[in-house]
Amino acid sequence: KQTLLPLLREETSSFIFPCHPAVQRPELQYMVMELLRCIPLLLFLLFVCGLDHFIFSVLSIIQHHSFVQYSYQTSHHLSVNVMGTSLMAQLLQGTIGALNTSFDTEVETSNLGESHQGREPPPAQPGQGADTGAVSPACLPQPSGMSRQQYRDTCLPLGALALLCLLQVYPFRLRRAIAAFYFPKREKTRVLFLYNKLLRQRRNFLHLQRGRLARQARQPPGLGTSLLQWCRRRWPWLRRFLRRRCALCGTPETPRHRPCPDPDCGALYCEPCW
C-alpha cells in the first residue's frame, strides 16, 4: 500500500502495478524476448512468399515470351499387288486394289501459331488418297499468382501471435493475485520480505548517495554550471527557464524543492530525497 511505504522514484520502475494500463519496465524485457522469437517465423514467411512470387514470375515470363516449336512427319503406304492375267487375277486386282492407300503428313506447330502441310503422292493407282492433320499441344505452363487476400490470410496467424506477445503481460499480472488467494499465509510472508528488502535497499541507497554527493562536492564546478548560476543571480526572471534539478533523482525544480542549508553547498533536493 502506498500509505504504508511510499515508493521513491527509483523504486517505482522496478515494480509492476496491476492496474496500470501501460506496459511497465519489468514487463518490457519479457515482451521483447517473446517478440524476438517471432522473428525467425517472420523471416521464413517472407522467404516463402518471396520464393512463391519468384517462381510465378519465372513461369509467367516463360508463358508470355518463350517460343516452343514441334515438328511431326509421318508416311503411310499400303499396296496389294495381284500377279497374273487370268480372270480370277483380274477380279482380285479390281477388288483388292481398292485397299491401296498412300499419304504423307508433315506437321509443324508452336505456341505462337500452327502450320501444317500434307503432301499427296501422284495418283497412279485408283483408290489412293491423302490425309493431313495438325496437333496443337498445351506445351507451356499456366501459372496463377496468389491474391492479396491469400497473402493476408497467410500473414494473419503471425500477426495474431505477435499481438498475443504484446497482450500476454496483462494476464500474467493475475498470477500473484491467484497465488495469494490460494496461499494467503505465503502471501503475507512475501509482503513482509519485500518490506524489509526495501528498507535495506533504502539504507544502502542513502549511504551510496552520500558518498557520491561528497565526491561531487569536492570537484570544482564546470564552466557551464558556473555560467548558469551567474545568469540565475544576474537575471532572476530566467529562473523559470533555467530550472535546476534534484541532486539525487534529477527531477526539475519546483517550489517544494529544498536547498541545502550549508551556504557552501548549494545543492537542491526534492521533498522525498530530502
Side-chain angles (χ1 to χ4, degrees):
K1 293 182 180 297
Q2 293 290 336
T3 56
L4 177 63
L5 186 64
L7 297 177
L8 301 178
R9 182 182 179 184
E10 293 79 8
E11 298 171 343
T12 305
S13 59
S14 60
F15 287 91
I16 299 175
F17 298 92
C19 299
H20 201 280
V23 179
Q24 301 167 53
R25 182 179 298 179
E27 301 171 327
L28 190 61
Q29 180 181 0
Y30 297 100
M31 185 182 66
V32 172
M33 292 300 298
E34 294 296 333
L35 291 176
L36 289 178
R37 295 179 181 177
C38 299
I39 293 181
L41 296 177
L42 176 62
L43 296 178
F44 176 75
L45 183 61
L46 293 177
F47 171 75
V48 171
C49 293
L51 182 62
D52 173 78
H53 182 72
F54 172 75
I55 295 177
F56 168 75
S57 301
V58 171
L59 296 179
S60 179
I61 292 174
I62 294 176
Q63 179 187 12
H64 293 91
H65 301 283
S66 64
F67 177 74
V68 181
Q69 183 177 11
Y70 292 90
S71 179
Y72 174 75
Q73 296 179 356
T74 181
S75 177
H76 179 76
H77 298 278
L78 175 62
S79 177
V80 179
N81 297 325
V82 180
M83 309 300 293
T85 57
S86 62
L87 180 61
M88 182 58 69
Q90 294 178 0
L91 180 61
L92 292 177
Q93 290 175 0
T95 55
I96 299 179
L99 300 177
N100 296 343
T101 58
S102 177
F103 64 88
D104 296 332
T105 302
E106 181 179 354
V107 179
E108 292 183 1
T109 180
S110 67
N111 60 314
L112 301 180
E114 63 177 11
S115 62
H116 60 274
Q117 296 178 358
R119 295 183 298 178
E120 299 181 359
Q125 300 180 3
Q128 292 181 349
D131 187 16
T132 60
V135 181
S136 178
C139 56
L140 295 178
Q142 305 292 330
S144 59
M146 294 178 61
S147 62
R148 293 185 178 179
Q149 182 64 30
Q150 291 174 333
Y151 280 114
R152 191 179 301 112
D153 295 341
T154 304
C155 300
L156 186 61
L158 184 60
L161 180 61
L163 182 61
L164 289 178
C165 293
L166 298 177
L167 298 179
Q168 71 175 355
V169 296
Y170 299 103
F172 282 175
R173 295 179 183 179
L174 301 177
R175 294 180 297 180
R176 190 204 59 82
I178 296 174
F181 177 79
Y182 286 101
F183 305 98
K185 294 184 179 180
R186 185 65 176 176
E187 177 67 11
K188 292 181 180 180
T189 305
R190 295 180 67 253
V191 171
L192 183 60
F193 171 79
L194 179 61
Y195 181 79
N196 295 328
K197 178 183 178 181
L198 284 176
L199 293 181
R200 291 192 301 267
Q201 287 180 351
R202 288 188 179 184
R203 184 172 62 250
N204 297 333
F205 174 78
L206 181 61
H207 178 72
L208 294 176
Q209 292 300 326
R210 281 180 176 175
R212 184 177 68 85
L213 291 177
R215 292 191 302 269
Q216 184 177 354
R218 286 192 294 266
Q219 296 178 358
L223 179 60
T225 305
S226 302
L227 181 61
L228 291 178
Q229 292 178 357
W230 181 82
C231 292
R232 285 172 57 88
R233 292 191 302 266
R234 183 67 175 82
W235 299 287
W237 57 271
L238 288 177
R239 294 181 180 180
R240 65 177 62 184
F241 304 104
L242 303 177
R243 293 190 300 174
R244 295 188 298 173
R245 294 180 176 273
C246 176
L248 288 179
C249 62
T251 56
E253 181 182 5
T254 61
R256 305 183 65 178
H257 279 56
R258 298 183 182 183
C260 181
D262 188 358
D264 297 334
C265 179
L268 189 68
Y269 302 93
C270 62
E271 187 175 7
C273 295
W274 177 253

